[in-house]
Amino acid sequence: MKIKAILFDIDGTLVDTNDMHVLAWEEAFAGIGKSFDRQVVHDQIGKGTDMLVPTLLPELDEAGQEALGEAHGKVFKAKYLDSAKPFAKAHELLRHAAGLGQKVVLASSASEDELDHYLDLLGARDLVSATTSSDDVENTKPAPDIFSTALGKLDGIDADAVIVVGDTPYDVEAAGKCGIVAVAVRSGGFPDDVLAKAGAIAIYDDVAALLADYAGSPLGR
């Protein structure tokens, strides 16, 4: 099997949280008297605070960006994290990949606390070989840091034997900057043309569809 390791995004890919993040960001923005069309906020989901906030509020200084990110995190954890649900077959997909001997890595722009929660939610602690979160890197997606850090944890596995599974163009772009190809899923709410333009080599409805076609997908070829 060509693919030796799979780097999975979490939010919008394995766990249904993108709309929750939109609502949490809306509340955080409202706290400083700012508001945006909901679609505008959604189109930035997949980035961490360091990339999302400067895109929408370029005039905000670094301290303001950090404060806004902290506000978002507090709202998300208080109101939404405990009600987040995995997408259908998310655990089974991770288990299937691990059962084939492929290294399973969770590589997310989420915080370390959120990632730890998702490990239990997905029943993935005994399936995952490595993780990376926003706490591990200087810049989040679409910068390459999340995936390059993950790649560095995979001793003896080169980028051409690794694939990313994500739901946003930022996952796909970040992978490409590391020389890694990416498969996209539609479950995060991004249009096919946006995912394809970013460089996705295949697009599936969700992780259940990817699991159903695993052997014929780029993950299993």
Coordinates of all heavy atoms in Angstrom, one line a residue, residues 105-150:
V105 N -3.1 10.0 12.2 CA -2.7 11.2 12.9 C -3.9 12.2 12.9 O -4.5 12.4 11.8 CB -1.5 11.8 12.2 CG1 -1.1 13.1 12.9 CG2 -0.3 10.8 12.1
L106 N -4.1 12.8 14.0 CA -5.1 13.9 14.1 C -4.3 15.2 14.1 O -3.5 15.4 14.9 CB -6.0 13.8 15.3 CG -6.8 12.5 15.5 CD1 -7.7 12.6 16.7 CD2 -7.6 12.1 14.2
A107 N -4.6 16.0 13.0 CA -3.8 17.2 12.8 C -4.8 18.4 12.6 O -5.4 18.5 11.6 CB -2.9 17.0 11.6
S108 N -5.0 19.1 13.7 CA -6.1 20.1 13.8 C -5.6 21.5 14.2 O -4.6 21.6 15.0 CB -7.1 19.6 14.7 OG -8.1 20.5 15.0
S109 N -6.3 22.5 13.8 CA -6.1 23.9 14.3 C -6.8 24.1 15.6 O -6.8 25.2 16.1 CB -6.6 24.9 13.2 OG -5.8 24.9 12.1
A110 N -7.5 23.1 16.1 CA -8.2 23.2 17.4 C -7.1 23.3 18.5 O -5.9 23.0 18.3 CB -9.0 21.9 17.6
S111 N -7.6 23.7 19.7 CA -6.6 23.8 20.8 C -6.3 22.4 21.3 O -7.0 21.4 21.0 CB -7.3 24.6 21.9 OG -8.4 23.9 22.5
E112 N -5.3 22.3 22.2 CA -4.9 21.0 22.7 C -6.1 20.4 23.6 O -6.3 19.2 23.5 CB -3.7 21.1 23.6 CG -3.1 19.8 24.1 CD -2.5 18.9 23.0 OE1 -2.0 19.4 22.0 OE2 -2.6 17.7 23.1
D113 N -6.8 21.2 24.3 CA -7.9 20.8 25.2 C -9.0 20.2 24.3 O -9.6 19.1 24.7 CB -8.4 21.9 26.0 CG -7.5 22.3 27.2 OD1 -6.6 21.6 27.4 OD2 -7.7 23.4 27.7
E114 N -9.3 20.9 23.2 CA -10.4 20.4 22.4 C -9.9 19.1 21.7 O -10.7 18.1 21.6 CB -10.7 21.4 21.3 CG -11.4 22.7 21.8 CD -11.4 23.8 20.9 OE1 -11.3 23.6 19.6 OE2 -11.5 25.0 21.3
L115 N -8.7 19.0 21.3 CA -8.2 17.8 20.6 C -8.3 16.6 21.6 O -8.7 15.5 21.2 CB -6.8 18.0 20.1 CG -6.2 16.9 19.2 CD1 -5.2 17.5 18.2 CD2 -5.5 15.8 20.0
D116 N -7.9 16.9 22.8 CA -8.0 15.8 23.8 C -9.4 15.3 24.0 O -9.7 14.1 24.1 CB -7.4 16.3 25.2 CG -7.2 15.2 26.2 OD1 -6.4 14.3 25.9 OD2 -7.9 15.2 27.2
H117 N -10.4 16.2 24.0 CA -11.8 15.9 24.1 C -12.2 15.0 22.9 O -12.9 14.0 23.1 CB -12.6 17.1 24.2 CG -14.1 16.9 24.2 ND1 -14.8 16.6 25.3 CD2 -15.0 16.9 23.2 CE1 -16.1 16.4 25.0 NE2 -16.2 16.6 23.7
Y118 N -11.7 15.4 21.7 CA -12.1 14.7 20.5 C -11.5 13.3 20.5 O -12.1 12.3 19.9 CB -11.7 15.4 19.3 CG -12.4 16.8 19.1 CD1 -11.8 17.9 18.6 CD2 -13.8 16.9 19.4 CE1 -12.5 19.1 18.4 CE2 -14.5 18.1 19.2 CZ -13.8 19.2 18.7 OH -14.5 20.4 18.6
L119 N -10.4 13.1 21.1 CA -9.8 11.7 21.1 C -10.7 10.8 21.8 O -10.9 9.6 21.4 CB -8.4 11.8 21.8 CG -7.2 12.2 21.0 CD1 -6.0 12.5 21.9 CD2 -6.9 11.2 19.9
D120 N -11.3 11.2 22.9 CA -12.3 10.4 23.6 C -13.6 10.3 22.8 O -14.2 9.2 22.7 CB -12.5 10.9 25.0 CG -11.4 10.7 25.9 OD1 -10.6 9.7 25.8 OD2 -11.2 11.6 26.8
L121 N -14.1 11.4 22.3 CA -15.3 11.4 21.6 C -15.3 10.4 20.4 O -16.3 9.8 20.1 CB -15.6 12.8 21.1 CG -17.0 13.1 20.4 CD1 -18.1 12.9 21.4 CD2 -17.0 14.5 19.8
L122 N -14.2 10.3 19.7 CA -14.0 9.5 18.6 C -13.6 8.1 18.9 O -13.5 7.2 18.1 CB -13.0 10.1 17.6 CG -13.4 11.4 16.9 CD1 -12.2 12.1 16.4 CD2 -14.4 11.1 15.8
G123 N -13.3 7.8 20.2 CA -12.8 6.5 20.6 C -11.5 6.2 19.9 O -11.3 5.0 19.5
A124 N -10.6 7.2 19.9 CA -9.5 7.0 19.0 C -8.1 6.9 19.7 O -7.1 6.8 19.0 CB -9.4 8.2 18.0
R125 N -8.1 6.9 21.0 CA -6.8 6.9 21.7 C -5.9 5.7 21.3 O -4.7 5.9 21.3 CB -7.1 7.0 23.2 CG -7.6 8.3 23.7 CD -7.5 8.5 25.2 NE -8.1 9.8 25.6 CZ -7.4 10.9 25.5 NH1 -6.1 11.0 25.2 NH2 -8.0 12.1 25.9
D126 N -6.5 4.6 21.1 CA -5.7 3.4 20.8 C -5.5 3.3 19.3 O -4.9 2.3 18.8 CB -6.3 2.1 21.4 CG -7.7 1.9 20.8 OD1 -8.4 2.8 20.3 OD2 -8.2 0.7 20.9
L127 N -6.0 4.2 18.5 CA -5.9 4.1 17.0 C -4.9 5.1 16.5 O -4.4 5.0 15.4 CB -7.3 4.4 16.4 CG -8.4 3.4 16.8 CD1 -9.7 3.9 16.1 CD2 -8.1 2.0 16.4
V128 N -4.7 6.2 17.3 CA -3.9 7.3 16.8 C -2.4 7.2 17.1 O -2.1 6.9 18.2 CB -4.5 8.6 17.3 CG1 -3.6 9.8 17.1 CG2 -5.9 8.9 16.8
S129 N -1.6 7.4 16.1 CA -0.1 7.4 16.3 C 0.5 8.7 16.8 O 1.5 8.7 17.4 CB 0.5 6.9 15.0 OG 0.1 5.6 14.6
A130 N -0.2 9.8 16.4 CA 0.3 11.1 16.7 C -0.8 12.1 16.6 O -1.8 11.9 15.9 CB 1.5 11.5 15.9
T131 N -0.6 13.3 17.2 CA -1.5 14.4 17.1 C -0.8 15.7 17.0 O 0.4 15.8 17.5 CB -2.5 14.5 18.3 OG1 -1.7 14.8 19.5 CG2 -3.3 13.2 18.5
T132 N -1.4 16.7 16.4 CA -0.9 18.1 16.4 C -2.1 19.0 16.6 O -3.2 18.7 16.1 CB -0.1 18.5 15.2 OG1 -1.0 18.4 14.0 CG2 1.1 17.7 15.0
S133 N -1.9 20.1 17.3 CA -2.9 21.1 17.6 C -2.4 22.5 17.4 O -1.2 22.6 17.1 CB -3.5 20.9 19.0 OG -2.5 21.4 19.9
S134 N -3.2 23.5 17.5 CA -2.7 24.9 17.4 C -1.7 25.2 18.4 O -0.9 26.1 18.2 CB -3.9 25.8 17.5 OG -4.6 25.7 18.7
D135 N -1.7 24.5 19.6 CA -0.8 24.8 20.6 C 0.6 24.3 20.3 O 1.6 24.7 20.9 CB -1.2 24.0 21.9 CG -2.5 24.6 22.5 OD1 -3.1 25.4 21.9 OD2 -2.9 24.1 23.6
D136 N 0.8 23.5 19.2 CA 2.1 23.0 18.9 C 2.8 23.8 17.8 O 4.0 23.5 17.5 CB 1.9 21.5 18.3 CG 1.3 20.6 19.3 OD1 1.7 20.7 20.5 OD2 0.5 19.7 18.8
V137 N 2.1 24.8 17.3 CA 2.7 25.5 16.1 C 2.6 27.0 16.2 O 1.8 27.5 17.0 CB 2.0 25.1 14.8 CG1 2.1 23.6 14.6 CG2 0.5 25.5 14.8
E138 N 3.4 27.7 15.4 CA 3.4 29.2 15.4 C 2.2 29.7 14.6 O 1.5 30.7 14.9 CB 4.7 29.7 14.8 CG 4.8 31.2 14.9 CD 6.2 31.7 14.5 OE1 7.1 30.9 14.4 OE2 6.3 32.9 14.2
N139 N 1.9 29.0 13.5 CA 0.8 29.4 12.6 C -0.1 28.2 12.2 O 0.4 27.1 12.0 CB 1.4 30.0 11.3 CG 2.2 31.3 11.5 OD1 3.4 31.3 11.2 ND2 1.6 32.3 12.0
T140 N -1.4 28.5 12.2 CA -2.3 27.5 11.8 C -2.6 27.5 10.3 O -2.0 28.2 9.6 CB -3.7 27.7 12.6 OG1 -4.2 28.9 12.3 CG2 -3.4 27.6 14.1
K141 N -3.5 26.6 9.9 CA -3.8 26.4 8.5 C -4.4 27.7 8.0 O -5.1 28.4 8.7 CB -4.9 25.3 8.3 CG -4.4 24.0 8.8 CD -5.6 23.0 8.9 CE -5.2 21.7 9.6 NZ -6.3 20.8 9.9
P142 N -4.1 28.2 6.8 CA -3.5 27.4 5.7 C -2.0 27.4 5.7 O -1.4 27.0 4.7 CB -4.1 28.1 4.4 CG -4.2 29.5 4.9 CD -4.7 29.5 6.3
A143 N -1.3 27.9 6.7 CA 0.1 27.7 6.8 C 0.4 26.2 7.0 O -0.5 25.5 7.4 CB 0.6 28.5 8.0
P144 N 1.6 25.8 6.6 CA 1.9 24.4 6.6 C 2.2 23.8 7.9 O 2.4 22.6 8.1 CB 3.1 24.3 5.7 CG 3.8 25.6 5.8 CD 2.7 26.6 6.0
D145 N 2.3 24.6 9.0 CA 2.9 24.2 10.3 C 2.2 23.0 10.9 O 2.9 22.1 11.4 CB 2.8 25.3 11.3 CG 3.5 26.6 10.8 OD1 3.6 26.8 9.6 OD2 3.9 27.4 11.7
I146 N 0.9 22.9 10.9 CA 0.2 21.8 11.5 C 0.6 20.5 10.9 O 0.9 19.5 11.5 CB -1.3 22.0 11.4 CG1 -1.8 23.2 12.2 CG2 -2.1 20.7 11.8 CD1 -2.0 23.0 13.7
F147 N 0.6 20.5 9.5 CA 0.9 19.2 8.8 C 2.4 18.9 8.8 O 2.8 17.8 8.9 CB 0.4 19.2 7.4 CG -1.1 19.2 7.4 CD1 -1.8 20.0 6.4 CD2 -1.9 18.4 8.3 CE1 -3.2 20.0 6.4 CE2 -3.3 18.4 8.2 CZ -3.9 19.2 7.3
S148 N 3.2 20.0 8.7 CA 4.7 19.7 8.7 C 5.1 19.2 10.1 O 6.0 18.3 10.2 CB 5.5 21.0 8.4 OG 5.2 22.0 9.3
T149 N 4.5 19.7 11.2 CA 4.8 19.2 12.5 C 4.4 17.7 12.6 O 5.1 16.9 13.2 CB 4.1 20.0 13.6 OG1 4.6 21.4 13.5 CG2 4.4 19.5 15.0
A150 N 3.2 17.4 12.1 CA 2.7 16.0 12.1 C 3.7 15.1 11.3 O 4.0 14.0 11.8 CB 1.3 16.0 11.5

